Amino acid sequence: MGYVISLWTPPALAVAGSSDSFPVRRIFCVGRNYAEHQKEMGGDGREQPFFFLKTEFALVPRGGGVHYPAKTSNYHYETELVVALHKGGRRIDAKRANDHVYGYAVGLDMTRRDLQQWGKDHGRPWDFGKNFDESAPCSDLAPASKIGHPAKGGIWLNVNGKPRQKADLSDMIWSVPEQIAYLSEHYTLEPGDVIFTGTPAGVGPVKPGDELLAGIDGVGELKVRIVPAL
Ligand code: MN
């Protein structure tokens, strides 16, 4: 018995300071997890966050050249702390949730804002706005065994050298342990699952030729260059 097409290698993130890598199973993303970003998206800053997913094949490990995607004229960056789980489970207690975390990275939840808005306006899914090719550039993973579990520290993005996003991880509405606990009420979490933990205010459009440098103090940096559409 064999497979009728060749098997693929699971998408993976490199582990900083090591030749090993972390295979990625699913990508959960939290929406509107910083009050100032809720407001810029039209909310009142007091809503509960919520989740959506991207497939692991949206990852662009280590960033680099990312193609301007098809079918959009409003392509946005969203800088986010990424959490990688090495232990799964269900109904995880927030107090013990950090034990499930292997490490942290800097990610960009790239968004076709016009398609996302069309979905919102028509009560349709967000997938085409959020889950598309190359929509999840992500840095190497910094293991929690080396950096601990960052609950505060700067999160920022420069575009062509100009500051566009700047906030602190402590501004999150749902903390990382709370996000893990909440998700594990709805899914059986598995080793390899990762969470994009939401973006602060300052989201905006980019175009081919733009250079993005995203960083989280104590975690790492991620560089992306937008290249012309395929
Ligand atoms: Mn996001």
Side-chain angles (χ1 to χ4, degrees), residues 25-41:
R25 184 181 180 96
R26 290 177 293 193
I27 303 175
F28 295 96
C29 302
V30 63
R32 300 198 178 185
N33 196 31
Y34 289 78
E36 289 307 309
H37 176 60
Q38 282 195 3
K39 290 183 199 163
E40 76 178 346
M41 299 306 288

Side-chain angles (χ1 to χ4, degrees), residues 33 49 51 94 98 151 169 172-181 197:
N33 196 31
F51 284 93
N98 279 345
L169 296 179
M172 282 186 193
I173 296 168
W174 284 350
S175 68
V176 169
E178 287 168 342
Q179 292 182 47
I180 294 169
T197 60

Side-chain angles (χ1 to χ4, degrees), residues 56-79:
E56 64 276 29
F57 299 100
L59 282 175
V60 185
R62 289 189 169 158
V66 167
H67 294 91
Y68 195 91
K71 298 290 185 185
T72 185
S73 52
N74 197 16
Y75 175 48
H76 277 210
Y77 53 76
E78 295 190 356
T79 307

